[in-house]
Amino acid sequence: MEPKIINLPKIIDKRGNLSFFEHPNQLPFEIARTYWIYDVPGGEERGGHAFREQKEFIVALSGSFDVVLNDGKKDYTYSLNRSYYGLYVPKMYWRRMENFSTNSLALIVSDKGYDDNDYIRDFNEFKKLKNE
């Protein structure tokens, strides 16, 4: 499966809107871990790694940021700025997050618990593994 934007249900209500995601209706995996990124100083980047096995889904709950994915050959940029869609990131895509707006909040859910051995933190190693 390739990276893709997944539109989430949007229930409009005068008291405030509601969106959600669940497996298998929106997410192609069951959630094992949830984390969020916030208070990112101006100009900073997050990420800068790939996962051997882990898949993720990233949503901008507040504010905006860009997710730059690399498939071993080319960069693809996804701008996330609404809480009713998110980006599915398959395993073996290098990812970095940048251009965080003030008060942005990134929610990330994944199909695996934290495992440091699943991380590829060297881009050249990633490209070598990806292109084997």
Side-chain angles (χ1 to χ4, degrees), residues 3-5 45-46 58 64-81 85-89 93-100:
K4 67 176 183 174
I5 294 291
E45 290 184 2
R46 295 295 312 230
I58 304 170
S64 63
F65 52 88
D66 294 334
V67 180
V68 181
L69 300 181
N70 184 291
D71 63 2
K73 296 181 177 130
K74 183 178 171 187
D75 282 347
Y76 302 88
T77 301
Y78 299 86
S79 294
L80 300 182
N81 58 15
Y85 65 82
L87 176 63
Y88 168 69
V89 182
Y93 275 81
W94 188 268
R95 115 175 131 98
R96 72 179 189 273
M97 299 165 72
E98 60 188 25
N99 298 324
F100 285 87

Side-chain angles (χ1 to χ4, degrees), residues 48-53 70-73 92-94 116-132:
H49 58 263
F51 294 108
R52 288 177 170 80
E53 296 298 327
N70 184 291
D71 63 2
K73 296 181 177 130
M92 290 302 292
Y93 275 81
W94 188 268
D116 193 56
N117 294 320
D118 193 39
Y119 283 74
I120 304 168
R121 299 182 193 275
D122 178 270
F123 186 67
N124 290 324
E125 178 188 353
F126 162 75
K127 286 196 324 185
K128 182 182 173 192
L129 291 168
K130 185 74 174 184
N131 295 313
E132 286 182 343

Side-chain angles (χ1 to χ4, degrees), residues 21-38:
F21 52 84
E22 58 190 20
H23 169 79
N25 295 329
Q26 290 81 31
L27 293 187
F29 59 80
E30 291 188 42
I31 297 169
R33 180 169 76 135
T34 303
Y35 62 99
W36 46 98
I37 298 171
Y38 56 97

Side-chain angles (χ1 to χ4, degrees), residues 7-13 17-20 82-85:
N7 290 308
L8 302 173
K10 183 177 179 185
I11 300 167
I12 299 173
D13 188 301
N17 300 334
L18 182 146
S19 290
F20 63 90
R82 297 286 185 261
S83 57
Y84 50 83
Y85 65 82

